[in-house]
Amino acid sequence: MMIQRSIIKAVKNQKPPGRFLAKDSESHRWFEVEDKKVIQKTAQALRPESRQKMVVAKMMAAMAAKRTDNVDGRRSAGPHPHDVLFGRIGETNQHPGNVYWRELVKDHKVEYMKLGKHRESQKRMIALRIIKAIKDKEPPGRFLKMDGSHRWVE
């Protein structure tokens, strides 16, 4: 915990002082995060990659154990590695589908940025290529979010 505290102290001792902020999902206002949460998040960021993979594997097993409803009402397994998960669940960043999606976005970023402000149709085509790459995986990737009853939905 000393490493986390020294990192936090270094950020807060900058000129001007650094802060740790989060955005309230309802009011959309930024607020300062309490030190306990900052320590937890810092420790999470410092985990060795193998530890992060273990956390992701546990999350995947837990999600696969849950069942979710498809849009057409049939039952299906929870998210799989090709799915892109949206939400504020910390582990979604390490989910294999999210990692792949971020790589695709990174690969297309220069092309996208060169288009400027007035080429919306071309920008849309880049976004559609990224979506197609996710959906063309086997099994097909989906874009999922957790609904109010803790089920993953497209």
Side-chain angles (χ1 to χ4, degrees):
M1 191 166 331
M2 293 223 2
I3 293 172
Q4 293 93 316
R5 289 190 189 278
S6 65
I7 291 170
I8 294 165
K9 184 178 179 181
V11 170
K12 289 184 174 184
N13 286 339
Q14 294 180 74
K15 301 280 186 228
R19 298 181 298 163
F20 295 90
L21 304 174
K23 194 172 189 179
D24 183 271
S25 60
E26 292 180 18
S27 69
H28 302 290
R29 292 185 180 183
W30 291 95
F31 63 92
E32 195 157 356
V33 178
E34 61 190 47
D35 281 352
K36 182 178 178 182
K37 185 73 171 176
V38 174
I39 291 169
Q40 179 185 25
K41 286 295 193 180
T42 305
Q44 184 180 14
L46 291 171
R47 285 183 190 147
E49 200 171 308
S50 60
R51 168 84 170 113
Q52 290 177 347
K53 287 179 182 176
M54 184 178 72
V55 169
V56 170
K58 284 182 180 179
M59 179 193 76
M60 292 298 296
M63 288 188 297
K66 289 183 179 180
R67 305 295 280 178
T68 186
D69 288 325
N70 278 340
V71 176
D72 63 4
R74 291 180 300 148
R75 304 296 280 178
S76 67
H80 58 72
H82 297 158
D83 290 334
V84 177
L85 308 179
F86 292 95
R88 304 300 290 162
I89 303 169
E91 291 87 8
T92 58
N93 287 335
Q94 300 302 322
H95 180 71
N98 290 51
V99 172
Y100 177 67
W101 173 73
R102 280 196 308 277
E103 285 296 318
L104 287 171
V105 170
K106 187 171 97 177
D107 291 346
H108 290 83
K109 185 175 183 175
V110 172
E111 178 186 3
Y112 185 92
M113 297 305 287
K114 283 182 180 178
L115 291 173
K117 294 181 181 178
H118 303 293
R119 296 220 170 107
E120 294 304 316
S121 64
Q122 289 171 306
K123 286 182 172 184
R124 181 173 166 74
M125 294 305 294
I126 293 170
L128 291 173
R129 277 200 316 252
I130 293 169
I131 292 168
K132 184 178 183 326
I134 297 291
K135 292 188 175 206
D136 283 350
K137 302 281 279 178
E138 191 56 48
R142 301 168 294 174
F143 294 86
L144 304 175
K145 67 178 181 176
M146 193 172 280
D147 70 8
S149 57
H150 301 287
R151 292 180 295 181
W152 291 101
V153 294
E154 279 191 90

